[in-house]
Amino acid sequence: MIGVWTVCLWKQMGKPERVNLIELGPGRGTLMVDLLRGTSNFRNFTESLHIHLVECSPALQKLQHQNLKCTDESSSEKKAVSSLAGTPVHWHATLEEVPSGVPTIIIAHEFYDALPVHQFQKSPRGWCEKMVDVGEDSQFRFVLSPQPTPAALYLVKRCTWATPEEKEKLEHVEISPKSIDLTQEIAKRIGSDGGGALIIDYGKDGIISDSLQAIREHKFVNILDDPGSADLSAYVDFPSIKHSAEEASENVSVHGPMTQSQFLGSLGINFRVDALLQNCDDEQPESLRSGYWRLVGDGEAPFWDEQTPIGMGERYLAMAIVNRNQGTPAPFQ
Ligand SMILES: C[S@@+](CC[C@H](N)C(=O)[O-])C[C@H]1O[C@@H](n2cnc3c(N)ncnc32)[C@H](O)[C@@H]1O
């Protein structure tokens, strides 16, 4: 479905002959593999692509290289060609390293939630940042900063974007300066080079108070327990993304957020699932149906299938940042 979104945007961009398709944090590379397979009938589109994968983990870069069935063009694995669509693929550790000056489509799926956050708490001394300290028992513990910290500048910025109702109730605030800086870089690129970005992640259309969590082997664990051994993730603050993008470039417009269920539904996921169900073998219908339900469901397992994981349809939100010349992207009309 993200392939469908990408082709629609490429058409709105005037079908440029050369496009940088950037994915932020591609994980195992599954989304890009599916996108290339799903769009393979649009030859002009796939032939226009230069894929740029922004990935900080060398181990995942290797896995992406394998899954995209890449052959190296030079001895360095930083540049290769994917045999799935004959597309050049490049790897970078940061977005800044990706060459600019070319129409660009950026996809960030479950990327923003992995970026660092800072937490603030209101105290009799005013707003203090939550810091990590070592207690007398040699265990890590949270304490409040004795004086203002550099991230307080971002707290002030975030509070200026809060609604009056939110401001009244603020006691705890979680902010992600890295997400704000990244969004500004995205907006500047899209504003000057044309194209758009799609951000899909779990988060809120409002200020976030305290959502940081640690997950080890699919279980929630204490954040301070054995640091470095668990995945840390936090809710994505979608209004922050919207305001940062609008502040960074007047040439972009921001659309959404809408729920993942609305996003996929409006792009026609029902028709896609029906088409797949008509052309699959005996084993596949069950996994197609449970996969569909997982993507668009509202958090409850369907009554006929208690094994299906709870749905991501309402907890995940989609937002697009596009160059104003492209008009409104699908399906945000
Ligand atoms: C939760 S995974 C998402 C994977 C994939 N997009 C998906 O939806 O399945 C986060 C990905 O972002 C990468 N990542 C996290 N922080 C990063 C950073 N600061 N710079 C570059 N990549 C990062 C991780 O290595 C991983 O590939």
Side-chain angles (χ1 to χ4, degrees):
M1 298 317 297
I2 293 179
V4 170
W5 185 86
T6 311
V7 173
C8 290
L9 181 66
W10 173 75
K11 288 186 175 168
Q12 282 179 283
M13 289 159 68
K15 302 185 181 173
E17 279 177 14
R18 165 81 200 271
V19 172
N20 277 349
L21 176 59
I22 304 174
E23 188 182 351
L24 304 177
R28 303 168 62 86
T30 313
L31 187 152
M32 193 55 79
V33 170
D34 285 349
L35 185 149
L36 290 178
R37 197 184 46 229
T39 57
S40 58
N41 284 339
F42 299 91
R43 291 300 296 271
N44 290 348
F45 169 72
T46 53
E47 281 168 9
S48 74
L49 298 178
H50 274 235
I51 294 174
H52 293 270
L53 302 177
V54 175
E55 174 57 65
C56 62
S57 152
L60 286 176
Q61 285 192 1
K62 265 206 181 123
L63 201 56
Q64 293 151 16
H65 186 278
Q66 269 172 27
N67 289 341
L68 279 159
K69 307 213 178 327
C70 285
T71 47
D72 293 336
E73 273 205 334
S74 63
S75 55
S76 145
E77 284 195 6
K78 302 269 158 173
K79 184 167 179 245
V81 172
S82 164
S83 60
L84 297 178
T87 320
V89 186
H90 313 254
W91 278 266
H92 314 269
T94 64
L95 177 59
E96 285 81 0
E97 285 176 18
V98 180
S100 54
V102 177
T104 295
I105 300 176
I106 300 176
I107 294 165
H109 182 253
E110 286 191 11
F111 178 72
Y112 271 80
D113 72 279
L115 298 179
V117 292
H118 293 248
Q119 296 184 331
F120 289 85
Q121 188 176 319
K122 210 183 222 173
S123 81
R125 287 185 279 123
W127 282 98
C128 299
E129 183 167 356
K130 260 172 135 180
M131 315 292 286
V132 178
D133 180 30
V134 181
E136 280 167 11
D137 56 359
S138 302
Q139 298 293 313
F140 289 122
R141 61 175 183 182
F142 284 113
V143 292
L144 292 184
S145 63
Q147 60 219 19
T149 50
L153 284 178
Y154 286 86
L155 173 69
V156 174
K157 195 186 237 310
R158 180 60 185 92
C159 289
T160 61
W161 296 330
T163 62
E165 300 77 54
E166 283 178 326
K167 275 185 193 156
E168 254 176 45
K169 289 188 258 164
L170 287 184
E171 293 288 334
H172 295 86
V173 178
E174 190 175 88
I175 54 165
S176 173
K178 178 91 187 163
S179 302
I180 292 177
D181 293 347
L182 171 76
T183 306
Q184 290 182 336
E185 165 71 17
I186 292 176
K188 284 184 194 150
R189 240 170 225 260
I190 299 295
S192 59
D193 295 344
L198 177 66
I199 297 157
I200 301 185
D201 224 310
Y202 68 104
K204 251 180 83 180
D205 190 8
I207 215 157
I208 295 176
S209 46
D210 179 358
S211 76
L212 183 65
Q213 56 193 23
I215 299 147
R216 189 186 302 122
E217 289 164 8
H218 309 288
K219 290 203 182 90
F220 290 112
V221 293
N222 186 325
I223 300 166
L224 299 180
D225 173 24
D226 198 10
S229 68
D231 274 339
L232 295 182
S233 85
Y235 269 37
V236 174
D237 173 359
F238 280 90
S240 260
I241 297 182
K242 177 181 164 66
H243 288 289
S244 323
E246 287 170 347
E247 245 183 48
S249 170
E250 56 188 25
N251 296 333
V252 300
S253 58
V254 182
H255 305 270
M258 63 166 61
T259 64
Q260 174 163 291
S261 165
Q262 288 172 317
F263 177 79
L264 294 174
S266 309
L267 283 176
I269 192 169
N270 295 16
F271 299 107
R272 179 80 182 134
V273 174
D274 281 346
L276 291 172
L277 283 170
Q278 276 166 25
N279 293 304
C280 66
D281 61 34
D282 292 349
E283 306 281 295
Q284 286 172 319
E286 201 184 318
S287 83
L288 275 170
R289 285 203 185 95
S290 69
Y292 165 79
W293 195 258
R294 186 159 176 257
L295 290 174
V296 303
D298 63 1
E300 300 287 327
F303 66 88
W304 68 86
D305 178 7
E306 287 176 353
Q307 301 302 315
T308 303
I310 58 167
M312 300 149 78
E314 303 295 314
R315 286 181 300 138
Y316 278 64
L317 301 178
M319 179 175 260
I321 303 171
V322 298
N323 187 295
R324 288 190 179 279
N325 293 337
Q326 268 79 155
T328 307
F332 293 91
Q333 304 93 339

